[in-house]
Amino acid sequence: MTQMLDRAPADSCQAVATDFQAEPEEAAERLEHCAARLAALGVRVDGAGGLRRLTLPGGGSATLALTRPADLRGHHAGTHTLLLIVEDADGVSGADRATIEAMIRVVEEVSFTAYESAALDAQLPLMLGMAEDYRARQPLAGVALILTGHFVTDLVPMVDAAIALGVPAESITVLRKEYAYKMRRRIDASLAARGVRTWPVGQVAEAVRDHAERAATLGLRCLAIDDGGYILPALLTEAADVQAAYVGVVEQTMSGIFKLEPFAALPVPVLAVAQSRLKASIESTWIADTAIFNILDILPDEKPEGQPALILGYGNIGAAIAGILRNRGMRVAVYDRDLVRLISAHETGYLTGTSLTDLLAEHRPLLVIGTTGRTSLTEEHYAVLRRDCFLASVSSRNTEFDLPALAARAESVVDLGRIGYRYRLGDHVNVTVLADGYPVNFHQADSVTKSHSDLICAALLLGACVLADNGHGFVNGHNVARTDAVLDASGLLTAYYELYGPKSDAPAIGRSLNPELYRPRPLGITTCDVLARTCG
């Protein structure tokens, strides 16, 4: 965890601290690595042990220290803190100011330690157990993998598992979403340490071209695991010249499925984990829990009980969120453009309506949560708001609410830091968009716990292994029924039930950082078995 510490007015100091867990020897190695990177910036480093004095090129001074957290009650016993303190930060030269920004980034970029990696692995027994089953066959040895990943901590073990299954590390590309991830810098550093190339999703066309060129150099086919419909739409539009290098896509989210709707034909098979029974039946409650926890954490002074809330979209996640809010004592209304879902919400006892504009005007919600994966609130809806309210998205990107239209309507916009932005409309109505309109479940957090994300990560990686097999039996375009057949035949759900079901004797995963607590075990499944059960 990286903390930007308050600047002290008395001496104009600026400080940044990164907490990490490691054995003492590895913690000392991280300090030495950090000092070496600072020296490469032209910073003079003096001293030894856990304390270094730094002299900036322009004459400014700073201190680098390896210490323990001041308050151990909130930290594991193995936690260390890498601390950078810059003296007289306000008075440094322009050159030194640029150096300070680079120094802060170095201190934030502490890659995961062996101690932390072992603890993360212990929380992902399904994914790593499945990878252990497949390891001998190296099913991904012939592909270069490009994946869109949330920069949460399960991403690094997933990349490690792909490497173990045969993907050369130098042929892996990760597209990074620009969300306010809690561990983003540390995950960046951990991927870089493995030789993995990262690109921002805003440069997806350049990324898929670069990936195809690197794959061609290595004689590999390109395979994608996507989260939100970035890769295939780019291959169908701006990067059509490298489309032929790609042989398949595993898609994780319904937002990604929606992004493919404008295209009449798809040139590759899509293994749609997003539309699978496995994902729909199990994941929604975890996401809903995390989203509501983060909303309440961002707004600790708000009292939800007795207040009106509006859920936009009554899919699996929307229905789970509605239930949580009703249990919290909120008066919940639901809107969905799909009449079957709207009827389902009505018969579950929620206030509903076929006009979102009327529902906003009459229900007057304090909290509006969008789960549709599309743009659900537009200019016409902002016009009927008559009270202060909070908007929170639980879908991909920042498109759930039409933010340009909201900004155009606002008399002023105030940056509230961690909370988001507050738009002041006419009639003294304040609309606060939490997490800047990005998914609130990822806002300065790690989303769901690893033991929750384990099943989906395993399904995505299994999907990649299946599509990498020339006998996969998938056709170009969506393969919803075949995706279900493959996941059902994989044994993942059986292993999940054995691990977490009523007769499970497994220890409590994730409750300790002791790497010996739980070792992922093979599940006894192979790609050959899965294809044999589903082909023909």
Side-chain angles (χ1 to χ4, degrees):
M1 177 180 179
T2 302
Q3 309 166 49
M4 291 300 296
L5 307 182
D6 291 337
R7 186 175 294 180
D11 54 9
S12 299
C13 288
Q14 184 174 359
V16 61
T18 297
D19 293 336
F20 64 97
Q21 290 146 359
E23 298 292 349
E25 297 81 6
E26 193 173 12
E29 290 173 2
R30 286 295 191 275
L31 173 63
E32 293 295 341
H33 179 69
C34 182
R37 290 188 64 194
L38 293 176
L41 295 174
V43 176
R44 177 178 169 182
V45 182
D46 297 305
L51 187 66
R52 310 296 168 90
R53 290 294 300 163
L54 310 176
T55 304
L56 280 62
S61 60
T63 299
L64 177 69
L66 179 67
T67 183
R68 294 282 189 157
D71 183 3
L72 288 175
R73 291 173 298 176
H75 297 83
H76 185 270
T79 300
H80 301 264
T81 300
L82 196 60
L83 176 64
L84 175 70
I85 303 174
V86 182
E87 292 90 5
D88 191 24
D90 287 336
V92 299
S93 66
D96 273 1
R97 196 171 303 283
T99 300
I100 289 171
E101 292 301 317
M103 290 167 64
I104 289 172
R105 188 180 181 100
V106 166
V107 172
E108 291 177 336
E109 291 177 340
V110 178
S111 61
F112 291 143
T113 66
Y115 191 76
E116 291 171 318
S117 294
L120 288 172
D121 288 354
Q123 297 174 68
L124 296 160
L126 296 173
M127 180 179 72
L128 298 181
M130 185 271 294
E132 188 61 33
D133 285 334
Y134 285 33
R135 184 188 295 268
R137 290 189 65 243
Q138 295 282 281
L140 297 181
V143 301
L145 186 65
I146 179 170
L147 63 112
T148 308
H150 286 292
F151 269 48
V152 294
T153 48
D154 56 26
L155 175 62
V156 177
M158 188 174 184
V159 167
D160 286 342
I163 294 170
L165 292 172
V167 183
E170 65 272 21
S171 76
I172 298 177
T173 301
V174 176
L175 292 171
R176 181 185 63 242
K177 297 183 180 184
E178 302 300 333
Y179 299 175
Y181 298 109
K182 181 179 180 180
M183 305 281 273
R184 172 179 162 177
R185 297 296 188 204
R186 299 201 61 201
I187 293 168
D188 259 330
S190 299
L191 294 175
R194 288 157 172 78
V196 172
R197 187 168 299 185
T198 60
W199 286 80
V201 291
Q203 295 178 263
V204 61
E206 295 92 330
V208 296
R209 283 198 186 94
D210 174 74
H211 185 73
E213 291 168 4
R214 285 159 45 223
T217 300
L218 295 169
L220 302 174
R221 301 167 295 154
C222 296
L223 187 64
I225 297 178
D226 207 356
D227 184 320
Y230 294 92
I231 296 168
L232 190 47
L235 291 172
L236 289 162
T237 53
E238 309 106 297
D241 51 307
V242 296
Q243 183 186 111
Y246 288 77
V247 297
V249 175
V250 181
E251 176 56 58
Q252 180 176 359
T253 69
M254 286 305 301
S255 175
I257 299 299
F258 296 151
K259 290 293 179 181
L260 297 175
E261 288 179 345
F263 304 102
L266 302 179
V268 296
V270 176
L271 194 150
V273 172
Q275 295 169 291
S276 68
R277 294 188 302 134
L278 178 150
K279 181 178 171 76
S281 301
I282 297 173
E283 187 185 46
S284 302
T285 300
W286 308 334
I287 295 175
D289 281 340
T290 302
I292 299 305
F293 177 87
N294 286 355
I295 289 171
L296 296 178
D297 184 56
I298 293 171
L299 302 172
D301 297 328
E302 294 296 326
K303 179 180 179 296
E305 291 80 9
Q307 296 291 333
L310 174 60
I311 311 302
L312 305 177
Y314 197 68
N316 294 309
I317 294 174
I321 289 174
I324 293 171
L325 293 183
R326 181 158 65 180
N327 289 339
R328 285 295 307 241
M330 296 196 79
R331 296 182 286 112
V332 180
V334 171
Y335 174 79
D336 198 302
R337 289 185 292 183
D338 184 290
L339 194 55
V340 171
R341 289 180 173 179
L342 195 65
I343 291 171
S344 176
H346 167 71
E347 296 197 348
T348 307
Y350 298 113
L351 175 66
T352 61
T354 56
S355 167
L356 177 54
T357 303
D358 291 345
L359 205 53
L360 285 164
E362 296 166 8
H363 191 55
R364 295 168 54 87
L366 170 71
L367 177 62
V368 179
I369 300 180
T371 72
T372 68
R374 307 172 187 265
T375 301
S376 54
L377 283 191
T378 62
E379 164 65 22
E380 65 173 303
H381 305 123
Y382 301 135
V384 301
L385 297 177
R386 292 293 179 266
R387 65 163 295 175
D388 293 352
C389 62
F390 300 94
L391 309 184
S393 171
V394 191
S395 62
S396 294
R397 296 178 172 87
N398 63 341
T399 56
E400 187 73 36
F401 312 119
D402 187 343
L403 298 180
L406 183 58
R409 190 175 187 84
E411 297 175 352
S412 63
V413 181
V414 179
D415 184 349
L416 300 179
R418 176 174 179 262
I419 294 174
Y421 284 89
R422 176 161 292 161
Y423 299 77
R424 187 168 182 81
L425 308 184
D427 299 323
H428 307 292
V429 172
N430 293 307
V431 177
T432 303
V433 180
L434 303 184
D436 307 343
Y438 287 101
V440 72
N441 44 312
F442 288 104
H443 186 59
Q444 297 185 7
D446 207 29
S447 190
V448 300
T449 62
K450 268 68 67 184
S451 51
H452 284 145
S453 63
D454 186 20
L455 179 62
I456 304 304
C457 289
L460 294 171
L461 200 57
L462 181 142
C465 291
V466 168
L467 288 184
D469 192 303
N470 290 329
H472 57 62
F474 282 69
V475 298
N476 288 353
H478 297 289
N479 291 258
V480 178
R482 181 148 185 76
T483 296
D484 275 333
V486 163
L487 295 178
D488 288 349
S490 70
L492 284 177
L493 285 172
T494 299
Y496 180 86
Y497 189 72
E498 289 176 353
L499 187 60
Y500 300 111
K503 296 181 181 180
S504 173
D505 293 324
I509 295 171
R511 300 298 176 84
S512 167
L513 283 175
N514 179 0
E516 299 303 322
L517 172 68
Y518 186 86
R519 290 293 185 185
R521 67 180 189 276
L523 307 181
I525 56 177
T526 69
T527 46
C528 291
D529 292 338
V530 172
L531 292 173
R533 294 172 197 163
T534 56
C535 286

